[in-house]
Amino acid sequence: MLLNVFKVRPKDKELNHAVRVALIEALYASRASLGIGALLGGAVAAVTSYYCRTTLVEVTGLLLTLCGALRVASFGIFRPGNLSAGAKKWEILYDIGAVSYAALLGLLTLEILLISPDLRLHALMATLATGYAAGAAGRNTGRPFIAIGQLLSSALPISIGLFATDRGPAGMLLAVANLLFIIVVTDITLLTYKTVLEAFIDRQEKLQLATVYEKLSKTDPLTGIDNRGTLRLTLERLLQHREQAIAVLWLDLDRFKQINDTMGHAAGDDLLHHVASRLSKFATPMASVARFGGDEFIVVVPVENVEHALKLAEMVREVIAKPVGSGQGLMDLTVSIGIAISSPGISSDDLLRHADVALYEAKAKGRNRVILFDPEMERRLVDRQHLEHDLKRAIAQEELDLHFQPIVNLATKRVESFEALLRWHHPIHGNIPPSTFVPIAESIGLIDSLTAWVLRVACAEAQRWPDSISVAVNISAGLLKGRDLPTMVVEALMASGLSPRRLELEITESAIVEDNPNAAGLLDGFQKLGIRVSLDDFGTGYSSLSYLCRYKFDRIKIDRSFISSPDRQSETRAVVQAICSLAKSLDLSVIAEGIETPEQEDYVVSQGCAAGQGYLFARPMPREHIAGYLAGTPNSADAVSPRITPLRVVRSNA
Ligand code: C2E
Ligand code: MG
Ligand code: MG
């Protein structure tokens, strides 16, 4: 039974600090029992001294009283709740006090049993010592070695005293019973300790788990800053309790997806860490910085006025714009920010939505900028969402049409090719230009299926034209990044039976300039099949000409803004002249887009443009007008095949 003591010892040493602290605090919990014990000790000392009148008993009684008083004082000083550092010290103090008190009580009992003939004193001391031993064992179960120490020190002397003096069979029985009492109480103490300990550990683990979960539920696990839920709560609190306006700055890292895709998720996570720690400096007791998921962060902060909010947003932009990483891995980072400022009574949901709308606008306007919410933006966004919805339906139900605009050889006036141009007649809004709906189709991921459809219809239509006439199809930049374009092209050619040399793909500058390692191989592959590749809208937006050497184009199309713009004619003419001489030296054929007048035609011819496209020759036309149109051109001698497959009726809207 007593072996249990040795089993408990090592386990006790392994105790978690928090559990140990809790157990030590429990030692100091019951002040009343200690006070009563000390009072009784004093009373016993007085009574025994009075009846025995022996120095030994008087000194022991005095020490017992003093010890009791000191323990009461130590209880008075003890302050629970902040014990982490001094726990051991308080445990030792309690240990010394408790065992000393028990030992003095035991000593006094032994002295009375040995010295005094007064049976009343014997009974008093034996009862008190046993009672104390039982009480201490129960009270200090949480620290069993103290409890057992007290038990032995106070109760063992009773048996020693009884054995040492001849008290007959009754005395012997009492001495043995007392020993058995010590053994049984020791066992009960250890058992109770086990149960108490388990309960404490359980409670502690639950407390720790609760703390961990509470922290987890409030913070973003990747960056450690506030999460979406906490931000909402902070925002609601600020909106309710602050008179000042609250600004919500919604941030989205530019090109994060690209960084993540090219450099890996670990680099992406690292970047988010950097951004979070840079933004943390804006977090104050009154402001909150949170990650809203992905690469989106939100700063919520009270502001004086709009200028203050804009200034803060600029500071945020500057803080993030510093390059991240080191050496070769140095990355330039930019951010788009949408700002919304609270108005009286606005809900947190509305305020967040406004910031999101402003962010959308910032991204749409070319990123790396700060945009303040304005209600007009929301209206535009809703319109766009409707348009997206309608476009999805129109594409699914093949409600879009293709029109064709001739590209004419400027020397012979023969039609060389037709450019296929998408048309969408919206049931409510009427004709919607491709410059509006093509970017929407790109952003909602429908450009692939739309282009596949354009290629199929354009190739099928071209197959009916004279052999000398090709068809040109516009290819969006995004398609050059994916893998599906070659399949789409080959399928359209195979389905129509059109020769690859009669297909031309028009690619805009942006598709090439945007860092796109796929592009060169793809273009080369098309050209090997005999498909021509031309560079569309040349001269717009980008000034780097290096890609003209890097990629092999068959022709370049000078953007119509340089041909048909009536003002700044001398400048635009200079550009046309420069492009033509550049093309000549690179041995590239040039098409002038947007020729509207004979003068413009004369000018581009004088500069060496081989082909032209524009209203002067013809506007984009529905496919069933093509045969009629060709009949009036030098191509009239060439045969147009009869329509084989019934094609949809199209409206002219050019
Ligand atoms: P783009 O490829 O540069 O097409 C030429 C645009 O110039 C057409 O506008 C055409 O109608 C217009 N145009 C031609 N001659 C003249 C002229 O003399 N004066 C004026 N003012 N304009 C002229 P459209 O049809 O509105 O197309 C705009 C753009 O939409 C196209 O520019 C092209 O980038 C895009 N697009 C059209 N269809 C498709 C398509 O199937 N796929 C893709 N990805 N983009 C397309
Ligand atoms: Mg084009
Ligand atoms: Mg163009």
Side-chain angles (χ1 to χ4, degrees):
M1 213 187 281
L2 279 173
L3 283 178
N4 281 346
V5 177
F6 300 102
K7 282 188 198 153
V8 165
R9 192 82 182 142
K11 277 193 194 149
D12 190 80
K13 280 189 178 155
E14 287 167 14
L15 270 191
N16 168 311
H17 181 68
V19 175
R20 182 182 288 276
V21 167
L23 289 172
I24 293 168
E25 281 186 349
L27 290 178
Y28 286 87
S30 171
R31 288 163 193 248
S33 70
L34 188 103
I36 292 168
L39 262 176
L40 274 177
V44 162
V47 169
T48 48
S49 301
Y50 177 75
Y51 284 109
C52 284
R53 304 225 176 256
T54 315
T55 315
L56 189 61
V57 170
E58 283 171 0
V59 169
T60 312
L62 195 66
L63 287 175
L64 182 70
T65 312
L66 198 65
C67 184
L70 285 174
R71 292 193 72 207
V72 170
S74 75
F75 266 58
I77 299 168
F78 179 81
R79 289 282 167 270
N82 192 18
L83 206 57
S84 263
K88 190 76 198 154
K89 190 184 79 189
W90 283 104
E91 187 181 12
I92 292 171
L93 191 68
Y94 186 91
D95 216 339
I96 295 171
V99 176
S100 311
Y101 189 82
L104 286 167
L105 187 63
L107 185 63
L108 191 61
T109 309
L110 185 63
E111 287 167 7
I112 295 294
L113 287 176
L114 295 179
I115 300 168
S116 169
D118 191 336
L119 287 177
R120 288 170 306 171
L121 288 187
H122 292 187
L124 173 70
M125 289 316 297
T127 314
L128 262 179
T130 318
Y132 176 82
R139 184 182 193 284
N140 298 336
T141 320
R143 305 306 301 129
F145 305 105
I146 301 178
I148 293 167
Q150 286 176 290
L151 176 66
L152 291 176
S153 333
S154 58
L156 205 55
I158 302 174
S159 295
I160 298 173
L162 289 172
F163 281 130
T165 50
D166 182 15
R167 309 283 167 133
M172 286 305 274
L173 183 61
L174 186 57
V176 172
N178 188 56
L179 282 180
L180 291 175
F181 164 79
I182 291 172
I183 294 171
V184 168
V185 173
T186 302
D187 194 50
I188 293 172
T189 304
L190 292 175
L191 256 176
T192 319
Y193 170 62
K194 203 169 151 250
T195 317
V196 167
L197 192 63
E198 278 167 8
F200 261 103
I201 291 175
D202 204 36
R203 195 185 74 145
Q204 208 58 39
E205 281 175 358
K206 279 188 185 138
L207 271 175
Q208 279 171 350
L209 268 183
T211 317
V212 169
Y213 279 126
E214 201 195 341
K215 193 164 176 352
L216 274 182
S217 70
K218 285 183 174 168
T219 52
D220 167 51
L222 179 69
T223 57
I225 59 175
D226 286 356
N227 63 12
R228 192 183 270 253
T230 313
L231 181 106
R232 272 183 182 281
L233 288 177
T234 314
L235 181 57
E236 266 155 31
R237 203 188 61 228
L238 287 173
L239 286 176
Q240 273 169 18
H241 302 297
R242 294 212 40 114
E243 299 279 292
Q244 225 176 335
I246 309 297
V248 172
L249 278 57
W250 195 317
L251 286 72
D252 184 292
L253 302 180
D254 298 334
R255 296 184 310 117
F256 178 75
K257 191 179 173 308
Q258 215 174 316
I259 294 171
N260 221 15
D261 289 349
T262 51
M263 303 185 68
H265 287 264
D269 287 356
D270 230 33
L271 193 77
L272 294 175
H273 258 296
H274 273 290
V275 172
S277 70
R278 286 178 185 185
L279 286 177
S280 296
K281 74 175 225 183
F282 293 95
T284 63
M286 276 303 125
S288 172
V289 173
R291 179 168 167 240
F292 227 54
D295 59 336
E296 293 186 12
F297 293 84
I298 290 193
V299 180
V300 165
V301 58
V303 287
E304 307 290 334
N305 47 33
V306 174
E307 286 69 37
H308 183 195
L310 287 169
K311 207 170 141 200
L312 269 172
E314 277 308 330
M315 278 163 69
V316 168
R317 212 159 67 92
E318 274 169 29
V319 161
I320 292 185
K322 292 191 186 112
V324 180
S326 56
Q328 288 284 329
L330 210 64
M331 266 183 289
D332 281 326
L333 202 60
T334 58
V335 65
S336 305
I337 304 178
I339 309 180
I341 297 174
S342 67
S343 48
I346 193 167
S347 71
S348 60
D349 278 349
D350 283 348
L351 189 56
L352 283 168
R353 202 187 63 250
H354 289 174
D356 192 20
V357 169
L359 173 65
Y360 179 88
E361 191 83 7
K363 288 198 281 187
K365 285 205 164 135
R367 300 166 196 278
N368 191 18
R369 65 194 63 222
V370 174
I371 298 274
L372 183 68
F373 172 77
D374 141 21
E376 181 60 19
M377 288 173 190
E378 198 163 30
R379 207 188 48 70
R380 278 203 298 269
L381 190 67
V382 171
D383 283 353
R384 179 177 157 118
Q385 280 161 352
H386 286 156
L387 215 54
E388 277 181 20
H389 173 265
D390 294 348
L391 182 61
K392 274 185 199 160
R393 199 211 56 236
I395 292 174
Q397 298 177 0
E398 299 203 354
E399 283 175 14
L400 302 185
D401 282 323
L402 272 190
H403 279 195
F404 294 88
Q405 188 179 28
I407 296 172
V408 175
N409 180 310
L410 294 177
T412 63
K413 295 289 188 289
R414 288 175 68 93
V415 174
E416 287 185 355
S417 58
F418 284 94
E419 178 174 6
L421 294 162
L422 270 167
R423 292 294 177 261
W424 180 21
H425 184 83
H426 190 280
I428 298 167
H429 305 299
N431 293 329
I432 297 182
S435 50
T436 301
F437 71 81
V438 168
I440 296 180
E442 286 168 351
S443 73
I444 59 177
L446 287 177
I447 195 67
D448 287 38
S449 52
L450 190 57
T451 307
W453 177 83
V454 172
L455 278 162
R456 268 199 321 274
V457 175
C459 289
E461 190 58 21
Q463 179 64 335
R464 302 179 47 251
W465 304 335
D467 234 17
S468 57
I469 302 179
S470 337
V471 66
V473 173
N474 291 288
I475 302 296
S476 287
L479 278 167
L480 290 192
K481 291 185 185 151
R483 300 178 185 282
D484 298 337
L485 186 61
T487 320
M488 282 179 207
V489 170
V490 171
E491 270 175 12
L493 289 173
M494 283 173 64
S496 60
L498 188 76
S499 158
R501 65 172 180 79
R502 290 182 60 202
L503 176 63
E504 182 164 353
L505 301 179
E506 293 193 5
I507 314 247
T508 49
E509 278 181 274
S510 61
I512 310 293
V513 177
E514 281 171 19
D515 192 18
N516 182 358
N518 234 1
L522 211 57
L523 300 190
D524 200 44
F526 287 134
Q527 284 166 328
K528 283 196 175 114
L529 283 177
I531 298 166
R532 278 183 299 172
V533 179
S534 55
L535 185 57
D536 203 358
D537 302 344
F538 188 74
T540 51
Y542 301 92
S543 47
S544 163
L545 299 179
S546 61
Y547 49 81
L548 272 187
C549 308
R550 252 191 291 146
Y551 303 93
K552 205 171 113 299
F553 293 102
D554 296 286
R555 337 203 247 181
I556 53 179
K557 296 183 78 175
I558 304 181
D559 191 69
R560 68 171 188 267
S561 55
F562 300 106
I563 312 291
S564 48
S565 119
D567 32 83
R568 297 188 18 252
Q569 220 182 47
S570 58
E571 288 96 328
T572 52
R573 286 196 161 194
V575 174
V576 173
Q577 197 179 358
I579 294 174
C580 288
S581 71
L582 178 79
K584 199 170 169 190
S585 51
L586 291 171
D587 204 18
L588 284 167
S589 164
V590 179
I591 303 173
E593 283 183 334
I595 302 176
E596 292 180 351
T597 62
E599 293 72 39
Q600 288 162 359
E601 183 190 1
D602 290 345
Y603 182 72
V604 298
V605 169
S606 73
Q607 294 307 313
C609 286
Q613 175 181 1
Y615 296 168
L616 178 67
F617 311 108
R619 290 182 174 245
M621 62 189 84
R623 43 196 149 182
E624 49 282 304
H625 291 186
I626 291 175
Y629 167 75
L630 286 175
T633 67
N635 301 63
S636 56
D638 306 335
V640 175
S641 312
R643 193 179 288 281
I644 300 162
T645 43
L647 286 165
R648 297 165 40 73
V649 177
V650 287
R651 298 169 209 87
S652 172
N653 60 358

